[in-house]
Amino acid sequence: MQQRLIDWCRSFAPAPLSARPTEWLRAAIGIGLVLLLIIPASALVFGSSISLPLVAPAAASAVLVFAASSSPFAQPWSVIGGNLLATAIGVALAASDLPVAAAAGIAGALAILCLFILRCLHPPAAALALVAVIGSPQVHAFGFELLYPVAFNSLLLVSVALLYNNLSGHAYPKPRPHKGNPHHTHDPLPSERMSFSEDDVERALADFGEYVDVTRDDLAQLIKQTEKHALRRSMGEITAADIMSRDLYWGTPDCSIQQAWQTLREHRLHSFPVLEPDSRRLVGIVTLVDLLKHFQPASARIKFGQLKFLRGVQLRTIMSTPVVSVTEDSHMVDLVFLLSDRGLHCLPVVDDQQRLVGMITQTDLIAALYRNWLKHLPD
């Protein structure tokens, strides 16, 4: 009992912040900028007597949109739809014969209920419902035309957020990741087959029983990142430099596809990096699939080893670019996810000047994972 009381008291302490100080500054600047636009613009269009009572809810919306832009509360549909719906409910109850206190209470409760139903929950919208009920005579005289300044403020807020958040490196609105298989099959990605599923996330949220201010996609991503960090800790610091191949075959953009095919065939390789001849900077990569698109058709019974390629075709015209690459200090856990989920068969390793220093294939990774597994077996 005493421990429960201590834990309860601790819950009043501030929760640790995950955002960096630079993020605090970014959000503060965004909020200040949008309020500097909304307040004079709304006053100019609708007059101060109408615009000023709406400033406080707009400021609350700005906090969500700029400081918690990934929250479901902060998405455009929640801001615009939630604000307009709650305002309409507040105006309707203000016009009723109910006492002000009763009308305000019903407006707040009914607004939240409707926002839940329409999936546009936005806390500042409840404040707008109350402004419509208990506002000044000028606000009441506006009636349902109060929706116009609310829509103006909401649209201006979302427009600034779209520009500012995306320019400052925060995708807005929150994108919904495409959950596709690179092989265009219905199988889950390799990294997900032994991990949790969407149904597991749904069940966990149902067991939690309360509203969680995070999207399901973000929650799943957080769990995956947690799994990766736990796996990285258990594996130790095994990096790309520890498992990569260093003696490599490569070509230049001017090499012919005949030369590339001969090298791949002779050394049983599946990919051929393309480098600038002087700097050894990685500029492209050619795979067997790329080469097979450019062979010269001949007899229908031609053997694979007798393929004849179109003359004069250089690697610069068929290479894939830009190339997905990693650095020497990339951890093996990151390599696992790249080679398993992205449909890649190899990963070039480059230095800080994009010069090729190694290559990691699926075979290299499997061997490294096997050695790591053996190392952790009990004696």
Side-chain angles (χ1 to χ4, degrees):
M1 182 66 181
Q2 182 180 2
Q3 186 60 46
R4 291 179 62 185
L5 179 60
I6 294 174
D7 292 341
W8 182 76
C9 292
R10 285 177 178 171
S11 65
F12 286 89
L17 288 175
S18 58
R20 299 182 296 272
T22 53
E23 177 61 19
W24 309 346
L25 180 61
R26 187 201 70 84
I29 293 174
I31 293 168
L33 286 175
V34 77
L35 291 179
L36 285 174
L37 288 173
I38 286 178
I39 294 173
S42 182
L44 180 64
V45 176
F46 302 101
S48 298
S49 61
I50 296 299
S51 62
L52 290 182
L54 303 178
V55 169
S61 294
V63 171
L64 287 172
V65 167
F66 292 101
S69 59
S70 62
S71 168
F73 295 157
Q75 303 312 299
W77 166 240
S78 297
V79 176
I80 299 172
N83 284 345
L84 290 176
L85 179 59
T87 302
I89 292 172
V91 171
L93 285 166
S96 68
D97 295 328
L98 292 172
V100 173
I106 294 173
L110 186 58
I112 295 299
L113 181 61
C114 292
L115 299 186
F116 264 118
I117 294 173
L118 295 180
R119 295 187 295 177
C120 55
L121 189 62
H122 185 61
L128 284 171
L130 295 185
V131 168
V133 173
I134 63 177
S136 64
Q138 292 91 338
V139 171
H140 288 160
F142 242 63
F144 282 101
E145 291 185 3
L146 189 63
L147 292 171
Y148 293 126
V150 170
F152 178 84
N153 290 351
S154 300
L155 289 170
L156 185 56
L157 173 62
V158 169
S159 299
V160 174
L162 286 169
L163 182 64
Y164 182 81
N165 283 341
N166 286 292
L167 287 178
S168 59
H170 288 65
Y172 183 80
K174 188 67 177 179
R176 296 180 179 179
H178 173 67
K179 299 177 181 179
N181 189 310
H183 302 292
H184 305 291
T185 66
H186 295 294
D187 290 325
L189 294 173
S191 64
E192 297 176 354
R193 294 172 192 173
M194 296 296 290
S195 184
F196 62 91
S197 65
E198 290 186 12
D199 184 61
D200 295 326
V201 176
E202 293 292 340
R203 289 174 182 268
L205 289 171
D207 291 342
F208 191 72
E210 299 178 15
Y211 188 88
V212 180
D213 185 18
V214 63
T215 64
R216 282 164 171 74
D217 291 332
D218 281 348
L219 179 59
Q221 187 62 29
L222 283 172
I223 298 173
K224 287 181 180 178
Q225 291 297 327
T226 303
E227 286 183 339
K228 287 177 66 174
H229 284 292
L231 185 59
R232 178 169 183 160
R233 174 174 48 80
S234 66
M235 282 186 171
E237 290 302 318
I238 304 175
T239 65
D242 298 320
I243 65 175
M244 68 184 185
S245 300
R246 300 173 185 270
D247 186 13
L248 307 176
Y249 294 95
W250 52 273
T252 66
D254 295 327
C255 283
S256 67
I257 57 176
Q258 291 94 334
Q259 292 174 297
W261 167 251
Q262 184 177 356
T263 301
L264 291 179
R265 182 186 171 201
E266 181 179 349
H267 299 284
R268 298 184 179 181
L269 303 175
H270 294 276
S271 58
F272 194 62
V274 183
L275 313 182
E276 289 182 346
D278 297 328
S279 64
R280 286 197 55 160
R281 191 172 67 88
L282 182 67
V283 294
I285 195 165
V286 175
T287 66
L288 284 175
V289 174
D290 296 326
L291 292 176
L292 291 176
K293 294 177 183 177
H294 296 83
F295 76 91
Q296 177 67 53
S299 170
R301 301 182 63 182
I302 190 172
K303 295 181 180 180
F304 189 71
Q306 298 175 337
L307 290 179
K308 301 298 182 182
F309 289 88
L310 297 173
R311 295 182 178 276
V313 178
Q314 296 178 323
L315 296 188
R316 69 172 69 252
T317 63
I318 67 169
M319 66 185 185
S320 299
T321 186
V323 186
V324 177
S325 60
V326 296
T327 58
E328 292 182 86
D329 59 355
S330 298
H331 195 274
M332 186 163 66
V333 171
D334 300 319
L335 307 179
V336 170
F337 283 87
L338 282 171
L339 287 173
S340 64
D341 290 356
R342 294 284 295 271
L344 303 175
H345 296 284
C346 66
L347 280 171
V349 184
V350 297
D351 61 14
D352 55 358
Q353 297 181 7
Q354 293 299 302
R355 294 177 301 192
L356 185 69
V357 294
M359 185 77 76
I360 297 173
T361 66
Q362 292 176 335
T363 304
D364 297 326
L365 185 62
I366 292 171
L369 290 171
Y370 177 68
R371 289 194 299 270
N372 184 74
W373 175 70
L374 288 177
K375 184 174 65 174
H376 288 84
L377 282 178
D379 294 333

mmCIF file of all heavy atoms in Angstrom, residues 38-48 50-51 142 148-149 152:
data_model
loop_
_atom_site.group_PDB
_atom_site.id
_atom_site.type_symbol
_atom_site.label_atom_id
_atom_site.label_comp_id
_atom_site.label_asym_id
_atom_site.label_seq_id
_atom_site.Cartn_x
_atom_site.Cartn_y
_atom_site.Cartn_z
ATOM 1 N N ILE A 38 -2.381 35.163 -37.974
ATOM 2 C CA ILE A 38 -3.812 34.964 -37.733
ATOM 3 C C ILE A 38 -4.448 36.174 -37.058
ATOM 4 O O ILE A 38 -5.536 36.625 -37.476
ATOM 5 C CB ILE A 38 -4.031 33.698 -36.875
ATOM 6 C CG1 ILE A 38 -3.791 32.444 -37.712
ATOM 7 C CG2 ILE A 38 -5.440 33.676 -36.283
ATOM 8 C CD1 ILE A 38 -3.945 31.149 -36.938
ATOM 9 N N ILE A 39 -3.809 36.710 -36.042
ATOM 10 C CA ILE A 39 -4.451 37.773 -35.251
ATOM 11 C C ILE A 39 -4.758 39.010 -36.106
ATOM 12 O O ILE A 39 -5.915 39.454 -36.182
ATOM 13 C CB ILE A 39 -3.592 38.128 -34.028
ATOM 14 C CG1 ILE A 39 -3.531 36.936 -33.067
ATOM 15 C CG2 ILE A 39 -4.155 39.359 -33.305
ATOM 16 C CD1 ILE A 39 -2.577 37.124 -31.910
ATOM 17 N N PRO A 40 -3.782 39.608 -36.795
ATOM 18 C CA PRO A 40 -4.133 40.798 -37.594
ATOM 19 C C PRO A 40 -4.985 40.480 -38.811
ATOM 20 O O PRO A 40 -5.870 41.267 -39.172
ATOM 21 C CB PRO A 40 -2.766 41.365 -37.998
ATOM 22 C CG PRO A 40 -1.825 40.219 -37.905
ATOM 23 C CD PRO A 40 -2.327 39.351 -36.816
ATOM 24 N N ALA A 41 -4.748 39.329 -39.441
ATOM 25 C CA ALA A 41 -5.532 39.003 -40.639
ATOM 26 C C ALA A 41 -6.991 38.776 -40.288
ATOM 27 O O ALA A 41 -7.896 39.262 -40.987
ATOM 28 C CB ALA A 41 -4.943 37.755 -41.309
ATOM 29 N N SER A 42 -7.253 38.042 -39.215
ATOM 30 C CA SER A 42 -8.636 37.787 -38.808
ATOM 31 C C SER A 42 -9.313 39.065 -38.345
ATOM 32 O O SER A 42 -10.499 39.295 -38.636
ATOM 33 C CB SER A 42 -8.654 36.736 -37.692
ATOM 34 O OG SER A 42 -9.969 36.434 -37.308
ATOM 35 N N ALA A 43 -8.584 39.911 -37.631
ATOM 36 C CA ALA A 43 -9.158 41.181 -37.180
ATOM 37 C C ALA A 43 -9.499 42.080 -38.357
ATOM 38 O O ALA A 43 -10.518 42.797 -38.348
ATOM 39 C CB ALA A 43 -8.189 41.883 -36.235
ATOM 40 N N LEU A 44 -8.653 42.054 -39.374
ATOM 41 C CA LEU A 44 -8.893 42.879 -40.554
ATOM 42 C C LEU A 44 -10.135 42.430 -41.311
ATOM 43 O O LEU A 44 -10.923 43.257 -41.798
ATOM 44 C CB LEU A 44 -7.667 42.816 -41.472
ATOM 45 C CG LEU A 44 -7.737 43.618 -42.771
ATOM 46 C CD1 LEU A 44 -7.826 45.114 -42.468
ATOM 47 C CD2 LEU A 44 -6.532 43.328 -43.649
ATOM 48 N N VAL A 45 -10.349 41.120 -41.411
ATOM 49 C CA VAL A 45 -11.456 40.593 -42.198
ATOM 50 C C VAL A 45 -12.766 40.588 -41.418
ATOM 51 O O VAL A 45 -13.821 40.956 -41.953
ATOM 52 C CB VAL A 45 -11.127 39.164 -42.689
ATOM 53 C CG1 VAL A 45 -12.316 38.569 -43.441
ATOM 54 C CG2 VAL A 45 -9.882 39.182 -43.579
ATOM 55 N N PHE A 46 -12.712 40.203 -40.124
ATOM 56 C CA PHE A 46 -13.956 39.998 -39.362
ATOM 57 C C PHE A 46 -14.149 40.968 -38.210
ATOM 58 O O PHE A 46 -15.212 40.964 -37.593
ATOM 59 C CB PHE A 46 -13.984 38.559 -38.803
ATOM 60 C CG PHE A 46 -13.880 37.502 -39.855
ATOM 61 C CD1 PHE A 46 -12.673 36.848 -40.092
ATOM 62 C CD2 PHE A 46 -14.991 37.174 -40.630
ATOM 63 C CE1 PHE A 46 -12.584 35.865 -41.069
ATOM 64 C CE2 PHE A 46 -14.903 36.197 -41.609
ATOM 65 C CZ PHE A 46 -13.700 35.548 -41.829
ATOM 66 N N GLY A 47 -13.159 41.782 -37.906
ATOM 67 C CA GLY A 47 -13.266 42.727 -36.810
ATOM 68 C C GLY A 47 -12.725 42.158 -35.515
ATOM 69 O O GLY A 47 -12.788 40.947 -35.271
ATOM 70 N N SER A 48 -12.229 43.046 -34.644
ATOM 71 C CA SER A 48 -11.599 42.598 -33.401
ATOM 72 C C SER A 48 -12.582 41.949 -32.449
ATOM 73 O O SER A 48 -12.230 41.036 -31.694
ATOM 74 C CB SER A 48 -10.916 43.788 -32.710
ATOM 75 O OG SER A 48 -9.888 44.324 -33.517
ATOM 76 N N ILE A 50 -14.889 39.946 -32.965
ATOM 77 C CA ILE A 50 -15.112 38.539 -33.302
ATOM 78 C C ILE A 50 -13.806 37.763 -33.273
ATOM 79 O O ILE A 50 -13.747 36.627 -32.784
ATOM 80 C CB ILE A 50 -15.766 38.413 -34.691
ATOM 81 C CG1 ILE A 50 -17.151 39.061 -34.676
ATOM 82 C CG2 ILE A 50 -15.876 36.952 -35.116
ATOM 83 C CD1 ILE A 50 -18.124 38.432 -33.699
ATOM 84 N N SER A 51 -12.732 38.345 -33.784
ATOM 85 C CA SER A 51 -11.474 37.604 -33.931
ATOM 86 C C SER A 51 -10.775 37.363 -32.600
ATOM 87 O O SER A 51 -10.194 36.295 -32.379
ATOM 88 C CB SER A 51 -10.542 38.341 -34.890
ATOM 89 O OG SER A 51 -10.209 39.619 -34.379
ATOM 90 N N PHE A 142 -23.439 36.833 -34.422
ATOM 91 C CA PHE A 142 -22.894 36.247 -35.646
ATOM 92 C C PHE A 142 -23.604 34.945 -36.015
ATOM 93 O O PHE A 142 -23.691 34.594 -37.187
ATOM 94 C CB PHE A 142 -21.385 35.984 -35.459
ATOM 95 C CG PHE A 142 -20.540 36.763 -36.422
ATOM 96 C CD1 PHE A 142 -20.541 38.147 -36.404
ATOM 97 C CD2 PHE A 142 -19.731 36.133 -37.354
ATOM 98 C CE1 PHE A 142 -19.771 38.868 -37.281
ATOM 99 C CE2 PHE A 142 -18.957 36.838 -38.243
ATOM 100 C CZ PHE A 142 -18.973 38.221 -38.205
ATOM 101 N N TYR A 148 -17.352 31.133 -40.348
ATOM 102 C CA TYR A 148 -16.447 31.744 -41.316
ATOM 103 C C TYR A 148 -15.097 32.128 -40.685
ATOM 104 O O TYR A 148 -14.044 31.744 -41.212
ATOM 105 C CB TYR A 148 -17.092 32.952 -41.983
ATOM 106 C CG TYR A 148 -18.264 32.597 -42.876
ATOM 107 C CD1 TYR A 148 -19.507 33.196 -42.709
ATOM 108 C CD2 TYR A 148 -18.128 31.653 -43.893
ATOM 109 C CE1 TYR A 148 -20.583 32.866 -43.517
ATOM 110 C CE2 TYR A 148 -19.197 31.319 -44.712
ATOM 111 C CZ TYR A 148 -20.426 31.925 -44.522
ATOM 112 O OH TYR A 148 -21.495 31.594 -45.322
ATOM 113 N N PRO A 149 -15.084 32.898 -39.582
ATOM 114 C CA PRO A 149 -13.766 33.203 -38.993
ATOM 115 C C PRO A 149 -13.057 31.968 -38.446
ATOM 116 O O PRO A 149 -11.822 31.894 -38.487
ATOM 117 C CB PRO A 149 -14.094 34.196 -37.865
ATOM 118 C CG PRO A 149 -15.541 34.022 -37.595
ATOM 119 C CD PRO A 149 -16.154 33.629 -38.894
ATOM 120 N N PHE A 152 -11.539 30.372 -41.419
ATOM 121 C CA PHE A 152 -10.417 31.203 -41.866
ATOM 122 C C PHE A 152 -9.184 30.926 -41.024
ATOM 123 O O PHE A 152 -8.082 30.693 -41.553
ATOM 124 C CB PHE A 152 -10.825 32.680 -41.766
ATOM 125 C CG PHE A 152 -9.745 33.649 -42.162
ATOM 126 C CD1 PHE A 152 -9.543 33.992 -43.490
ATOM 127 C CD2 PHE A 152 -8.919 34.223 -41.195
ATOM 128 C CE1 PHE A 152 -8.549 34.886 -43.859
ATOM 129 C CE2 PHE A 152 -7.920 35.114 -41.550
ATOM 130 C CZ PHE A 152 -7.739 35.454 -42.881
#
